[in-house]
Amino acid sequence: MTAKARPVRLPGGVSLRIERRALAVGALLVLAAFAMSVLLIGTGDFDIAPWDVVQTLFGNGTPANDFIVNDLRLPRVLVALLVGAALGMAGAVFQSVTRNPLGSPDLLGFSYGSAVGALVVIILLKGSATEVAAGALLGGLLAGAAVYLLAYKRGIHGYRLVLVGIGASAMLVAVIQYLITKAQLVEASRAMVWLTGSLAGRDWAQVWPLLVTCAVLFPLVLGQSRALRMIEMGDDAAYAVGVRVERTRLLLMLAAILLTTAASAAAGPISFVALAAPQLARRLTRSPGANLLTAALMGSVVLLLSDWASQRAFGADQLPVGVVTGLVGGVYLLWLLVTERKAGRI
Amino acid sequence: MLVESPPESGPSAAPPPDAVARPRHAARAAGLAGAFAVLALIAVLSIAVGAKQMPLDEVWHGLFHYSGTTSDVVVRDLRVPRTLLGLMVGLGLGLSGAVMQALTRNPLAEPGILGVNAGAAAAVVSAISFFGASSLSEFVWWAFLGAAVVSVVVYVLGGSRSATPVRLALAGTAASAALVGYINAVQLMDSKALDKLRFWTVGSLASANMDTVRQVAPFLLVGAVLALSLGRPLNAMAMGDDTARALGANLTRTRVGAMLAITLLCGAATAACGPIVFIGLMIPHLVRVFTGPDMRWVLAYSAVLSPVLLLGADVVGRVVTRPAELQVGIVTALIGGPVFIYLVRRKRMAQL
């Protein structure tokens, strides 16, 4: 598992400023993600001991274990890892670009755009899972482009972007609701599961597109991290040190929208990970700024934990993982609003 | 705009206030009468237009010479309650939007944006799924509870007195996002509730009947009277807390009264027909173009014109996808979204 995920993370390992605390936090998060993955792979209808899981992952397992681990459970865990990382990094980018801890894709309307795309395919076209993913990708990109263009007025201002996103979200929600009322109950249920975000039944078909997206976009975003830090200090300051602000911002936002929609396409709009992971990362590393790589790792850990909770915490009923992130995220959000207000940041 | 601006700037330049204020007063009163006429017209339209085409004399017959024909039944038992409910809910949403904008000094405040609708909806969803509530008389109380809790929470989280519009909008949107997640989760775990709720959560007048009208009317009436009585203190508060205090306004009483009015109006409106967004945003903004900032006029005009928008949206929804219906909540969101974005783009960011 890590053999596949590690090359993606390597560019950050040679990031420009290596701080000891950030490095320690990063290492801990990698360990935590690995431990959670082994735990997740090992639990289910047929439990496998952690050591056997590790053995099997490195190709030394029994044929039965090999089938369960590599064909059934590993893809789901990989999707969780990648979706979490993509959402974490996208959230960090958005929060830096909008200079607002709440400026995450959850609140900007892109997720709703993906949802509209997916629902059109589910309800109107009755399409397959792959077609649903394509619809989600297209919908998210269109919504992202529309919000960017509507918010553009001699440059993008963070607050305007957030508020335009809120307006666009309201309209997209109306479309979603219209589609749901039009549907038969069976399709409405399928749509609701998609809307909540779920990792159930994910296989290698979802892993590969996500992996490729992350492999292309992570280095690109990380390469802009210094410019992003400058933009955070204000457009004027960034111009002064030679950052081409509008172009960098467009590039970074495009990458973040792509990451978000790719994640939505694979697992549905899983809420609050993009919002929470960057904030948690920032608090753990105690360093200001975007903490892109830590945020991505934190996203993976948060999603894996949520997935474990969704399978375990409610007895026989397996909830979609989006329900867990939604419930935990709601509480977290209230806390964030209170602390941010005390600190005078929003 | 160009035509209007000279009289607007006139009084501040040349100071005989009484001479100018009186004709303006008359113009506003005349405008209000005109608004009433529009409201009457749209109410008739709402009774006349629907899946069954009906000439006006049949409508008249159904209203005043009821004799039990099919059209009479349609008019009396379907169209009239629906129109009455639309009138009341529109009034509730518009007034609460106007009060919210004044209370928070936030041009973007609106029951939908600030999460109050979502709070009421979440409470009703819980009531249906966990406490077996099935009738409107139960929904109303749950909706009040949800609306009250969320309006207080958002107001406090948004920073109460030091709230900036952006902070409040974010607090409200965040609360809505969390609540909508919760609503989705409940619907997902309980497919019977999903079937019942997916129509209610959209916001629709389609299931209106006289019972609904009778049950929510008292709450909306009390809320409306309360809201309309707050015009003067809200005017004082617009000048800032210190000036308001100096003018003799009781700030705490005004705030509590405003919150109570918002809760009653929003809670009852949401309980009756599900969360409907943006009415409370659009109408007060539109109204201020005619009335200026005086809250007494803003409230009066909002009370008349908000039902016009809601009923208009409902009629449009009945016509565009015939024979099916587009729920009124969807129509208002599709109209309101662009208006919201326009307002955001127009304002200078320093004002937000």
Side-chain angles (χ1 to χ4, degrees):
Chain A
M1 171 218 62
T2 39
K4 285 201 180 68
R6 208 165 258 159
V8 182
R9 291 187 190 126
L10 250 174
V14 290
S15 80
L16 296 165
R17 291 177 57 197
I18 299 176
E19 289 163 20
R20 203 179 278 174
R21 188 179 171 92
L23 210 61
V25 169
L28 267 177
L29 287 174
V30 171
L31 267 178
F34 184 75
M36 283 306 301
S37 303
V38 170
L39 183 68
L40 264 172
I41 293 174
T43 52
D45 289 339
F46 182 81
D47 284 343
I48 304 171
W51 179 241
D52 291 339
V53 172
V54 176
Q55 292 259 316
T56 314
L57 283 176
F58 288 104
N60 305 323
T62 63
N65 280 357
D66 191 50
F67 173 71
I68 290 171
V69 170
N70 289 323
D71 289 351
L72 295 183
R73 295 185 188 161
L74 180 60
R76 175 178 182 151
V77 169
L78 279 178
V79 169
L81 267 172
L82 290 167
V83 165
L87 288 176
M89 186 168 282
V93 168
F94 275 121
Q95 289 176 12
S96 289
V97 168
T98 60
R99 285 187 222 120
N100 190 313
L102 292 172
S104 85
D106 293 326
L107 301 179
L108 286 180
F110 311 136
S111 314
Y112 291 124
S114 298
V116 169
L119 259 55
V120 165
V121 175
I122 292 177
I123 292 167
L124 298 184
L125 308 176
K126 307 196 176 12
S128 68
T130 320
E131 286 159 350
V132 171
L137 200 62
L138 194 65
L141 287 177
L142 285 177
V147 168
Y148 183 87
L149 289 176
L150 284 170
Y152 192 91
K153 190 178 177 185
R154 276 170 277 131
I156 287 287
H157 186 288
Y159 282 144
R160 188 160 55 227
L161 185 69
V162 172
L163 289 170
V164 167
I166 289 175
S169 300
M171 293 171 68
L172 292 167
V173 167
V175 177
I176 291 170
Q177 290 178 327
Y178 172 66
L179 288 170
I180 288 192
T181 55
K182 267 193 70 102
Q184 307 288 319
L185 188 56
V186 179
E187 283 155 15
S189 303
R190 191 180 163 205
M192 289 306 287
V193 171
W194 194 89
L195 279 178
T196 319
S198 167
L199 292 167
R202 298 299 183 267
D203 57 31
W204 290 103
Q206 274 90 34
V207 174
W208 293 119
L210 252 183
L211 192 65
V212 172
T213 313
C214 292
V216 173
L217 293 178
F218 277 15
L220 191 144
V221 172
L222 289 170
Q224 299 290 325
S225 62
R226 192 204 281 268
L228 188 60
R229 209 176 270 249
M230 297 298 149
I231 289 177
E232 266 199 340
M233 296 198 291
D235 289 4
D236 296 339
Y239 276 120
V241 294
V243 175
R244 283 193 256 178
V245 175
E246 212 51 57
R247 217 190 67 165
T248 311
R249 192 149 45 199
L250 179 61
L251 186 73
L252 278 167
M253 281 183 46
L254 190 65
I257 293 172
L258 274 171
L259 284 171
T260 312
T261 48
S264 289
I270 290 178
S271 53
F272 289 116
V273 174
L275 185 80
Q279 292 295 316
L280 294 173
R282 203 186 65 189
R283 284 180 165 76
L284 277 182
T285 59
R286 287 197 203 144
S287 75
N291 287 308
L292 293 167
L293 196 67
T294 330
L297 289 170
M298 182 55 88
S300 293
V301 173
V302 167
L303 196 56
L304 287 168
L305 271 170
S306 305
D307 193 32
W308 183 78
S310 74
Q311 290 181 40
R312 290 266 131 168
F314 301 91
D317 292 339
Q318 289 211 357
L319 280 175
V321 68
V323 173
V324 176
T325 62
L327 290 177
V328 177
V331 177
Y332 166 78
L333 195 59
L334 295 181
W335 174 78
L336 179 68
L337 277 166
V338 172
T339 55
E340 289 293 311
R341 198 190 112 212
K342 278 196 191 126
R345 273 192 292 267
I346 56 170
Chain B
M1 203 66 226
L2 273 173
V3 185
E4 268 179 13
S5 54
E8 288 279 326
S9 57
S12 61
D18 255 29
V20 185
R22 219 159 278 286
R24 245 223 217 152
H25 211 72
R28 284 178 186 150
L32 199 58
F36 264 112
V38 176
L39 181 58
L41 193 73
I42 203 96
V44 171
L45 209 60
S46 165
I47 296 176
V49 176
K52 181 175 156 55
Q53 298 275 23
M54 215 182 277
L56 275 181
D57 57 320
E58 273 183 48
V59 172
W60 186 262
H61 187 266
L63 283 176
F64 300 107
H65 309 284
Y66 186 83
S67 63
T69 64
T70 322
S71 339
D72 287 0
V73 172
V74 169
V75 168
R76 276 258 169 124
D77 297 343
L78 299 175
R79 304 268 178 89
V80 168
R82 184 170 185 160
T83 305
L84 283 176
L85 193 67
L87 281 173
M88 296 192 318
V89 168
L91 172 103
L93 294 172
L95 277 180
S96 59
V99 172
M100 264 188 183
Q101 287 172 17
L103 178 72
T104 59
R105 293 193 200 112
N106 178 348
L108 300 176
E110 204 264 338
I113 296 292
L114 294 196
V116 181
N117 281 344
V124 171
V125 167
S126 316
I128 293 176
S129 190
F130 300 126
F131 302 98
S134 56
S135 72
L136 186 79
S137 52
E138 293 166 272
F139 288 1
V140 173
W141 296 104
W142 286 96
F144 285 148
L145 183 71
V149 169
V150 172
S151 41
V152 170
V153 165
V154 167
Y155 191 58
V156 170
L157 285 179
S160 51
R161 255 159 284 176
S162 61
T164 65
V166 171
R167 201 186 291 170
L168 262 179
L170 279 175
T173 312
S176 292
L179 290 167
V180 168
Y182 167 75
I183 293 171
N184 284 347
V186 173
Q187 294 187 335
L188 201 64
M189 287 187 283
D190 186 347
S191 73
K192 257 179 281 165
L194 169 65
D195 207 21
K196 222 186 297 173
L197 287 167
R198 64 185 172 133
F199 294 100
W200 184 81
T201 51
V202 174
S204 164
L205 294 170
S207 57
N209 57 44
M210 268 337 246
D211 281 346
T212 317
V213 172
R214 263 193 292 274
Q215 274 166 355
V216 293
F219 301 109
L220 285 165
L221 204 67
V222 173
V225 170
L226 185 59
L228 288 169
S229 73
L230 288 170
R232 196 183 285 271
L234 284 176
N235 272 344
M237 272 178 68
M239 298 181 206
D241 288 0
D242 294 336
T243 316
R245 229 176 263 122
L247 287 172
N250 183 334
L251 291 183
T252 313
R253 200 166 66 196
T254 309
R255 286 211 178 91
V256 170
M259 291 298 244
L260 194 63
I262 291 168
T263 304
L264 281 170
L265 293 167
C266 267
T270 307
C273 56
I276 293 176
V277 290
F278 284 134
I279 300 267
L281 178 81
M282 286 188 279
I283 290 299
H285 270 282
L286 185 72
V287 159
R288 254 180 243 119
V289 176
F290 316 121
T291 63
D294 187 339
M295 274 309 288
R296 288 169 296 179
W297 286 103
V298 171
L299 287 168
Y301 267 89
S302 297
V304 181
L305 287 179
S306 304
V308 171
L309 178 61
L310 188 69
L311 286 176
D314 191 39
V315 171
V316 168
R318 277 183 246 169
V319 176
V320 286
T321 54
R322 251 182 212 182
E325 289 196 1
L326 203 52
Q327 284 84 354
V328 64
I330 291 169
V331 180
T332 60
L334 291 180
I335 306 171
V339 174
F340 182 83
I341 291 174
Y342 166 76
L343 289 174
V344 168
R345 278 182 64 88
R346 203 191 53 172
K347 296 270 171 202
R348 264 179 291 124
M349 279 301 134
Q351 287 174 285
L352 287 185

